[in-house]
Amino acid sequence: MGQNDLMSNAEDVADQFLRVTKQYLPHVARLCLISTFLEDGIRMWFQWNEQRDYIDATWSCGYFLAACFVLLNLLGQLGGCVLILSRNFVQYACFALFGILSLQTIAYSILWDLKFLMRNLALGGGLLLLLAESRGEGKSMFAGVPSMGEHSPKQYMQLGGRVLLVLMFMTLLHFDPSFISILQNLVGTALIVLVAIGFKTKLAALTLVLWLFAVNVYFNAFWMVPAYKPMHDFLKYDFFQTMSVIGGLLLIVALGPGGVSMDEKKKLW
């Protein structure tokens, strides 16, 4: 009974948080979600020569094609971020960012690095949730198609987004025998399973936001590293990738898990 009371109190706190922040939370979520694309687009501008030379050296494609690749990344990411923040052509902006994400996965050989591949897939999950949100606002490219309840494309986008987002946490698990590490792994795994299946979703997602933000600030404090050191850029990239996943989780907190979830099924029981 005490455990049920604790869970109820936690849910009450989460509901109170949502009532206070419901007008601002979706905006904060979108800003966090696109932050890694915004940062990467700006980095393409300031590191134009380095990025072009890297692509040319890796693929031997020549300066012209390498420069086109950098320009496409710069314009695609910054343009997509502007459209999303201004809430114009959000679906097209999401598809453009999906394309940039896929292109970078191949160009930077992320496809063969499991950790970074899982993080890119988690970013894709965040974009899926944003795409689902834009459909909910009546901006669907399939306007006029009748809704099919929980079988609608939007519900499956939310499901896919939830499942992909939890891949970020798989890269944070530490396999060492210390008590703290084991406890973090157990709690983190329990929370990501709850988000994936859509049970107590808003509370679990909000808890993950707090945990992931604390981990991000502690481990990816790029502002503590001099800008001339390579580790600065690495930590900065990691920091904003994690912020994007936090944005996806905040969308889940703000909008709920969708029809394909345990929370929605409970309403029918």
Side-chain angles (χ1 to χ4, degrees):
M1 186 65 183
Q3 189 177 21
N4 291 335
D5 289 341
L6 182 62
M7 183 64 70
S8 296
N9 290 336
E11 289 181 321
D12 289 341
V13 171
D15 289 338
Q16 181 63 31
F17 172 80
L18 288 175
R19 281 193 293 270
V20 173
T21 62
K22 64 180 180 180
Q23 293 183 339
Y24 313 103
L25 195 58
H27 302 290
V28 174
R30 282 190 294 272
L31 180 60
C32 289
L33 202 155
I34 59 96
S35 63
T36 190
F37 299 104
L38 189 61
E39 185 275 331
D40 196 49
I42 294 172
R43 182 159 53 90
M44 291 289 173
W45 175 268
F46 286 102
Q47 298 181 1
W48 177 280
N49 292 332
E50 293 91 331
Q51 296 295 327
R52 181 201 59 198
D53 292 344
Y54 174 82
I55 294 298
D56 181 32
T58 302
W59 295 98
S60 301
C61 56
Y63 269 27
F64 177 74
L65 290 179
C68 288
F69 171 85
V70 178
L71 182 63
L72 178 63
N73 275 266
L74 189 155
L75 295 179
Q77 291 185 102
L78 295 184
C81 290
V82 169
L83 290 177
I84 288 171
L85 291 178
S86 63
R87 305 177 78 85
N88 292 309
F89 304 104
V90 175
Q91 291 190 349
Y92 295 105
C94 286
F95 286 128
L97 293 179
F98 272 126
I100 295 293
L101 201 58
S102 302
L103 186 62
Q104 289 186 349
T105 299
I106 297 172
Y108 293 108
S109 301
I110 293 174
L111 196 61
W112 316 116
D113 188 318
L114 184 59
K115 177 181 176 180
F116 284 100
L117 178 61
M118 292 173 74
R119 293 196 171 196
N120 269 20
L121 289 173
L123 289 179
L127 289 175
L128 267 181
L129 291 170
L130 187 58
L131 197 57
E133 185 209 19
S134 70
R135 287 177 60 85
E137 294 177 341
K139 298 179 182 178
S140 173
M141 291 187 296
F142 303 100
V145 177
S147 173
M148 296 178 289
E150 68 175 84
H151 300 292
S152 67
K154 176 184 174 181
Q155 310 295 350
Y156 287 114
M157 287 179 192
Q158 290 175 295
L159 173 63
R162 292 200 320 267
V163 172
L164 289 175
L165 270 185
V166 303
L167 293 178
M168 167 63 78
F169 298 91
M170 302 302 293
T171 69
L172 299 177
L173 299 179
H174 301 287
F175 299 99
D176 60 69
S178 69
F179 173 76
I180 296 298
S181 180
I182 293 173
L183 181 62
Q184 286 181 337
N185 288 348
L186 290 176
V187 173
T189 301
L191 290 172
I192 63 178
V193 169
L194 290 177
V195 170
I197 66 175
F199 182 69
K200 304 288 185 183
T201 318
K202 291 185 178 182
L203 177 59
L206 186 57
T207 305
L208 280 174
V209 166
L210 297 175
W211 178 42
L212 189 55
F213 182 77
V215 169
N216 197 28
V217 170
Y218 182 78
F219 287 106
N220 295 321
F222 64 89
W223 52 88
M224 301 294 290
V225 179
Y228 63 85
K229 291 189 175 181
M231 183 58 69
H232 176 89
D233 279 347
F234 176 79
L235 291 177
K236 190 176 182 181
Y237 174 77
D238 217 25
F239 178 87
F240 283 104
Q241 268 206 327
T242 307
M243 288 302 299
S244 289
V245 174
I246 288 175
L249 287 168
L250 286 175
L251 277 181
I252 294 176
V253 174
L255 305 175
V260 188
S261 64
M262 294 290 292
D263 287 341
E264 289 297 316
K265 292 295 183 182
K266 283 195 306 178
K267 298 177 182 178
L268 304 176
W269 298 342

